Amino acid sequence: MDASQRRKSGINLPASMSETSLRLDNFSSSPRRGPSSFNLSSPLKSMSPRTISNLSSSPSPSKSVAVCSDRFIPCRSSSRLHTFGLIEKSSPVKEGGGGGSEAYTRLLKSELFGTDFGFSDFSADNVKGGSPMSPSRNMLRFKTEHSPGPNSPFSPSILGQDSGLAGEVSTPPKPPRKVPKTPHKVLDAPSLQDDFYLNLVDWSSQNVLAVGLGTCVYLWSASNSKVTRLCDLGPNDGVCSVQWTREGSYISIGTNLGQVQVWDGTQCKRVRTMGGHQTRTGVLAWSSRILSSGSRDRNILQHDLRVPSDFISKLVGHKSEVCGLKWSHDDRELASGGNDNQLLVWNQQSQQPILKLTEHTAAVKAIAWSPHQSGLLASGGGTADRCIRFWNTTSGNQINSVDTGSQVCNLAWSKNVNELVSTHGYSQNQIMVWKYPSMAKVATLTGHSLRVLYLAMSPDGQTIVTGAGDETLRFWNVFPSMKTPWTYSPSNGTGTFTDGSEDSHSSRRKYGESK
């Protein structure tokens, strides 16, 4: 091409350069921008008028550097730009980790080079509602821990909903339920004995707490904090165990002399006194019709108030004091634990245990039947064992065993959620809430200065009361209600009980008296 032909074409080229050897130079007049500020539709908008005028001016013959008056834009369909590799180090998703970098690269290639090169996964036809880059389309699903900010157009959380990459974005774990770390009420309980083998606290279905203190039994109404002294056994006897009936109107009392007394809790009147044990009666358990009592004499007696005799049967199987006793929820099986490290399971037809479980290496006082699964039994061992063990009483197999690190004094299963609470003695004196079956710790509560030997649960299943040799009763809100179990607040990242129990304040008062 001669000089006249070059003037007619409007392209100013040096004499030594042909039109076919023309190449593009990158202009650095504007600052470098990140991928989020690319303007692919109008590349000249960022240039100033002065720059444009300089481009259109003819170069001086004295200068050796050629300046083009216009840009040559090649046809993309005939190029091999799709073989170019994008620099992944500049990807904002790459810095955050995870599998979003590949998705980011594919999206950027599709936006830069179009769908002619096989990058059609993110085209408008494959995304519901149009382009995934549309700011008006709410397609957020999950936000990973190290993902870019919510305003980033290349956040993998935008792609996780409809592009088929949801598996690449990890689901955040559900935040743990928050349990108040302090008791909402503390009552003084003078003369509450520090004896592992006794059971001196029980909460009735009518919301009345019974506590054995020395030779007396006191009733504390949780609705109005009224205290009533039910009985006084006198100077020659003492209270070793208390247990309400399931209806909550009658209460049984085991004494140091081996008697079993039954009292009307509403009228504070003794209904029945039954003998049969040779020494103290440390544990009681009601079924719908039968009252079972365990004693230091190693025997379990079955009492029926409908017959005049003191007991209707005697269960012999333990070789040491019986300190744990619980009926299953369907009244078909009775579990007993003793100081002989044995856990025995009985039924109503046999006088011999149907199961002898001997895996514990210390006394078995803590026993709890699951209200959620038939035949599931939990038991806890003493200081030399420290384990909570789970049993299938149908097959007789041990399901699981968890070393708690401390003496297990009590177990109680929540009826609202599939969790259980355990209280402990040597050496932590703590209260622990567990999820089942994972046995993940929900909460660890401390406050008692001595072994937490006594445990009872409120009728609604939300509150527990614990007693210890430090002569205090402490009330803890540990379980959610059944109807509105728990709500999670994204604003502060905590969970709360909807009844406001988390906000209740701790108060200490003398047993039976409000300050």
Side-chain angles (χ1 to χ4, degrees), residues 307-336:
V307 299
S309 59
D310 286 341
F311 59 92
I312 58 175
S313 64
K314 179 187 294 187
L315 305 181
V316 181
H318 285 284
K319 301 177 182 179
S320 186
E321 180 173 8
V322 181
C323 52
L325 209 57
K326 287 290 175 64
W327 278 96
S328 62
H329 297 280
D330 57 8
D331 293 342
R332 294 183 178 180
E333 295 177 321
L334 174 68
S336 63

Side-chain angles (χ1 to χ4, degrees), residues 225-245:
S225 298
K226 180 182 178 181
V227 174
T228 304
R229 188 175 71 174
L230 177 67
C231 66
D232 188 344
L233 301 181
N236 298 324
D237 206 348
V239 180
C240 296
S241 56
V242 295
Q243 182 73 35
W244 288 97
T245 60

Side-chain angles (χ1 to χ4, degrees), residues 30 33 39-49 52 71:
S30 61
R33 301 185 181 183
N39 192 335
L40 303 177
S41 60
S42 180
L44 293 179
K45 288 183 179 180
S46 61
M47 298 184 182
S48 63
I52 297 176
R71 296 193 306 161

Side-chain angles (χ1 to χ4, degrees), residues 329-379:
H329 297 280
D330 57 8
D331 293 342
R332 294 183 178 180
E333 295 177 321
L334 174 68
S336 63
N339 197 32
D340 55 0
N341 307 344
Q342 288 191 103
L343 176 65
L344 306 181
V345 179
W346 317 75
N347 62 19
Q348 295 179 339
Q349 289 75 31
S350 176
Q351 299 297 315
Q352 298 296 323
I354 59 175
L355 286 178
K356 289 186 177 182
L357 308 173
T358 59
E359 279 77 1
H360 283 291
T361 57
V364 182
K365 176 191 178 185
I367 299 174
W369 291 91
S370 171
H372 310 287
Q373 182 177 342
S374 177
L376 177 58
L377 177 64
S379 61

Side-chain angles (χ1 to χ4, degrees), residues 128 195-196 306 453 465:
K128 297 179 181 179
D195 194 326
F196 177 81
R306 299 168 296 179
L453 298 176
V465 58

Side-chain angles (χ1 to χ4, degrees), residues 221-292:
S221 174
S223 58
N224 55 18
S225 298
K226 180 182 178 181
V227 174
T228 304
R229 188 175 71 174
L230 177 67
C231 66
D232 188 344
L233 301 181
N236 298 324
D237 206 348
V239 180
C240 296
S241 56
V242 295
Q243 182 73 35
W244 288 97
T245 60
R246 293 182 179 178
E247 296 77 17
S249 55
Y250 291 89
I251 183 174
S252 57
I253 301 172
T255 73
N256 193 49
L257 296 179
Q259 291 183 343
V260 176
Q261 300 181 7
V262 179
W263 289 71
D264 187 335
T266 57
Q267 300 181 6
C268 296
K269 181 181 178 180
R270 186 170 59 183
V271 176
R272 186 84 179 267
T273 300
M274 295 169 287
H277 288 297
Q278 303 302 316
T279 182
R280 70 178 184 183
T281 306
V283 60
L284 299 166
W286 281 94
S287 69
S288 299
R289 299 179 179 180
I290 303 298
L291 171 62
S292 302

Side-chain angles (χ1 to χ4, degrees), residues 66-314:
V67 179
C68 301
S69 62
D70 200 355
R71 296 193 306 161
F72 173 74
I73 301 178
C75 179
R76 290 178 178 175
S77 61
S78 62
S79 64
R80 293 183 296 172
L81 294 177
H82 63 283
T83 61
F84 292 175
L86 296 179
I87 302 177
E88 295 186 355
K89 293 183 179 181
S90 62
S91 169
V93 183
K94 186 70 174 180
E95 297 174 0
S101 59
E102 180 182 356
Y104 167 78
T105 303
R106 294 166 60 192
L107 175 62
L108 187 56
K109 287 180 179 180
S110 177
E111 291 293 335
L112 288 176
F113 306 135
T115 60
D116 298 332
F117 304 103
F119 308 114
S120 58
D121 293 345
F122 297 98
S123 62
D125 297 334
N126 292 333
V127 181
K128 297 179 181 179
S131 172
M133 302 301 294
S134 174
S136 62
R137 179 64 177 170
N138 183 16
M139 292 182 290
L140 296 176
R141 185 178 183 183
F142 299 115
K143 181 180 179 182
T144 56
E145 183 179 359
H146 301 289
S147 63
N151 296 327
S152 172
F154 303 107
S155 172
S157 58
I158 297 179
L159 309 177
Q161 178 69 26
D162 298 311
S163 62
L165 296 178
E168 298 181 8
V169 182
S170 60
T171 303
K174 182 179 179 181
R177 176 168 55 84
K178 185 177 180 181
V179 176
K181 298 295 185 182
T182 57
H184 68 86
K185 190 188 300 294
V186 178
L187 303 180
D188 285 333
S191 301
L192 186 61
Q193 297 187 55
D194 184 21
D195 194 326
F196 177 81
Y197 300 98
L198 305 186
N199 295 270
L200 298 175
V201 178
D202 193 34
W203 205 329
S204 77
S205 59
Q206 297 185 7
N207 210 16
V208 178
L209 187 69
V211 184
L213 301 177
T215 62
C216 300
V217 175
Y218 291 90
L219 305 181
W220 179 81
S221 174
S223 58
N224 55 18
S225 298
K226 180 182 178 181
V227 174
T228 304
R229 188 175 71 174
L230 177 67
C231 66
D232 188 344
L233 301 181
N236 298 324
D237 206 348
V239 180
C240 296
S241 56
V242 295
Q243 182 73 35
W244 288 97
T245 60
R246 293 182 179 178
E247 296 77 17
S249 55
Y250 291 89
I251 183 174
S252 57
I253 301 172
T255 73
N256 193 49
L257 296 179
Q259 291 183 343
V260 176
Q261 300 181 7
V262 179
W263 289 71
D264 187 335
T266 57
Q267 300 181 6
C268 296
K269 181 181 178 180
R270 186 170 59 183
V271 176
R272 186 84 179 267
T273 300
M274 295 169 287
H277 288 297
Q278 303 302 316
T279 182
R280 70 178 184 183
T281 306
V283 60
L284 299 166
W286 281 94
S287 69
S288 299
R289 299 179 179 180
I290 303 298
L291 171 62
S292 302
S293 60
S295 171
R296 182 182 278 180
D297 63 10
R298 302 172 294 180
N299 297 326
I300 301 172
L301 299 182
Q302 306 281 55
H303 309 272
D304 191 338
L305 300 184
R306 299 168 296 179
V307 299
S309 59
D310 286 341
F311 59 92
I312 58 175
S313 64
K314 179 187 294 187

